[in-house]
Amino acid sequence: MRVKETMLDLVPYQPGKPIEEVKRELGLEEVVKLASNENPYGCSPKVKETIEKSFQDLAIYPDGYARQLRESVAEKLEVNVTQLIFGNGSDEVILILCRSILSKNDNIVTATPTFPQYRHNAVIEGTEVKEVPLVDGVHDLDAMLDAIDENTKMVFVCNPNNPTGTYVNEEQFKAFIEKVPEDVFVISDEAYFEYVEAKDYPETLPLLKQYPNLIILRTFSKAYGLASLRIGYGIANEELIKAVDPGREPFNTNTIAQRAALTALNDDQFINDCYNKNRTEMKKYEAFCEEFGYDYYRSQANFILIDLKVAGSEVFNRLLNKGFITRNGEALGFPTSVRITLGNADQNDRIIEELKKLHI
Ligand SMILES: Cc1ncc(COP(=O)(O)O)c(C=O)c1O
């Protein structure tokens, strides 16, 4: 049995440890997953009713074009319905883009460390991946520009970046895209958009008119709290969306996800509340790091990467034993760090108390 050569060096995506597994292994009653940057406050309470109502339609295929959701997102973002593509999570939009755009002799440019799915999907297409190290946790856009050559098809800017939470600002992004050749796609992955506090974070939507090579990614998995339903989307110019759409499976987003996303999209109050709580909780972690002298990246997202100066696995295991699943930085390119998704106030207080015990 032989699979594509390009698959041979790949391993499946390594998600955070599942809650049930940790409960069983450690005999814990309460386990909280703060490993995949999900929303600790769940989703808009209005979604429950929407899902209950959808029960009667389970036997019918979904609307593959996600028309209702498409219309609402288009209205909210002030773009055309034809400028959107929906995916089974923004993960799938990345996959669709890679399968539609990349071939064997091409390359992509990404930062490192960054979200691993850009690399993963490019490798499957047999495409070379040029990885440009972050500088102080931030994309080195000049070096990324230098890495672009005549075979480059896509450049990924994860903004804010996962796992650092750092961001590229408006001025830097504009100067960058201005210099990227027109035939190279710039993907601005904005999975944590709703959490961003920085006033100079780029407004990329208005840039779509000027740059037909710009693709923006957003998701309902993070602040909207719908990670398990798998729905995210890409925004780009109409011709590009039309060209990549055949790379999408016929019914790639399901009815429940589409309707839940539509309900969630209209609950601004829920998103505002989550944003405010996230910023309040972030300050607690920052204050802890300042007080105890730990390095951390100032995060615009709902997670924080902290360098606790001991092996990431040690901190990870200590928190795991207390029922908190976090991300060991060793697997993320930061061997003495952990990445913690911000939980609710009580969870964060307990984590910080535990982290204080590490300090000698
Ligand atoms: C930067 C970034 N992009 C995309 C995704 C994928 O999100 P989803 O497929 O749930 O929309 C994630 C998830 O962790 C992420 O961190």
Side-chain angles (χ1 to χ4, degrees):
M1 191 184 71
R2 298 243 329 158
V3 297
K4 262 164 96 171
E5 194 93 353
T6 56
M7 299 289 290
L8 298 178
D9 291 331
L10 288 177
V11 291
Y13 180 74
Q14 303 292 309
K17 257 177 170 298
I19 292 178
E20 289 310 317
E21 193 179 310
V22 175
K23 277 188 182 169
R24 228 181 11 253
E25 279 176 10
L26 299 177
L28 293 170
E29 285 203 350
E30 197 208 328
V31 172
V32 184
K33 183 163 170 260
L34 298 172
S36 302
N37 310 332
E38 293 124 330
N39 187 339
Y41 311 104
C43 65
S44 161
K46 296 177 183 160
V47 167
K48 187 166 180 264
E49 200 190 324
T50 306
I51 292 186
E52 279 165 3
K53 278 198 200 144
S54 296
F55 190 74
Q56 64 201 36
D57 299 323
L58 290 189
I60 308 296
Y61 279 112
D63 169 8
Y65 193 62
R67 196 170 303 271
Q68 272 191 304
L69 176 62
R70 177 180 297 271
E71 281 169 5
S72 291
V73 172
E75 193 183 326
K76 184 154 190 149
L77 303 186
E78 296 179 13
V79 296
N80 239 306
V81 287
T82 48
Q83 290 184 266
L84 297 171
I85 182 166
F86 289 87
N88 200 283
S90 51
D91 273 340
E92 198 202 19
V93 182
I94 297 169
L95 180 150
I96 295 168
L97 292 172
C98 288
R99 87 194 287 200
S100 323
I101 295 172
L102 300 176
S103 309
K104 207 163 172 219
N105 295 321
D106 300 334
N107 68 59
I108 66 160
V109 175
T110 74
T112 186
T114 193
F115 185 58
Q117 289 308 99
Y118 318 138
R119 175 178 206 286
H120 189 93
N121 284 293
V123 168
I124 292 175
E125 299 309 323
T127 301
E128 184 196 350
V129 181
K130 294 187 165 190
E131 296 180 305
V132 178
L134 300 173
V135 173
D136 295 330
V138 184
H139 283 59
D140 184 350
L141 294 179
D142 288 338
M144 288 176 78
L145 277 173
D146 288 344
I148 294 174
D149 62 26
E150 66 281 5
N151 295 324
T152 305
K153 285 283 164 66
M154 302 165 102
V155 186
F156 285 88
V157 180
C158 186
N159 202 20
N161 188 45
N162 179 1
T164 50
T166 49
Y167 75 108
V168 166
N169 72 25
E170 170 121 10
E171 200 186 321
Q172 293 160 338
F173 187 82
K174 278 187 175 165
F176 172 74
I177 196 166
E178 184 60 36
K179 291 190 204 121
V180 173
E182 279 169 20
D183 57 352
V184 175
F185 292 109
V186 176
I187 292 90
S188 176
D189 184 347
E190 304 179 0
Y192 302 95
F193 173 82
E194 294 79 12
Y195 286 116
V196 172
E197 181 183 43
K199 293 279 175 287
D200 60 350
Y201 178 79
E203 262 193 65
T204 46
L205 287 168
L207 299 179
L208 287 168
K209 283 206 176 72
Q210 202 179 336
Y211 299 102
N213 57 336
L214 172 62
I215 306 170
I216 302 164
L217 301 181
R218 303 253 175 106
T219 183
F220 287 97
S221 298
K222 306 299 178 183
Y224 286 100
L226 299 177
S228 76
L229 293 180
R230 313 301 302 122
I231 188 152
Y233 58 98
I235 319 151
N237 85 83
E238 190 176 315
E239 277 95 313
L240 173 68
I241 296 294
K242 203 167 154 202
V244 300
D245 204 41
R248 182 176 64 74
E249 283 175 39
F251 305 108
N252 64 329
T253 59
N254 68 77
T255 305
I256 297 180
Q258 290 175 24
R259 292 188 189 159
L262 180 55
T263 303
L265 185 73
N266 290 321
D267 193 347
D268 289 335
Q269 181 67 43
F270 176 80
I271 295 295
N272 283 344
D273 285 353
C274 293
Y275 167 85
N276 287 329
K277 287 183 206 156
N278 186 63
R279 291 321 312 173
T280 305
E281 295 305 306
M282 186 67 81
K283 287 198 181 81
K284 288 186 190 167
Y285 280 97
E286 290 174 351
F288 158 73
C289 293
E290 302 290 344
E291 185 185 342
F292 287 84
Y294 291 126
D295 290 334
Y296 66 100
Y297 292 110
R298 206 162 270 276
S299 172
Q300 293 295 322
N302 64 338
F303 55 82
I304 184 163
L305 186 73
I306 308 177
D307 184 353
L308 290 139
K309 299 177 189 159
V310 289
S313 54
E314 191 181 323
V315 187
F316 171 82
N317 283 323
R318 181 183 273 265
L319 293 173
L320 195 65
N321 280 306
K322 294 287 166 191
F324 293 109
I325 311 173
T326 57
R327 262 309 164 91
N328 176 354
E330 286 168 31
L332 302 174
F334 294 91
T336 56
S337 298
V338 277
R339 190 194 68 195
I340 303 169
T341 302
L342 272 52
N344 64 30
D346 170 59
Q347 293 160 354
N348 297 325
D349 292 345
R350 275 153 54 205
I351 288 179
I352 290 170
E353 277 318 302
E354 199 52 38
L355 293 181
K356 284 182 181 169
K357 293 184 197 158
L358 282 167
H359 200 76
I360 329 150

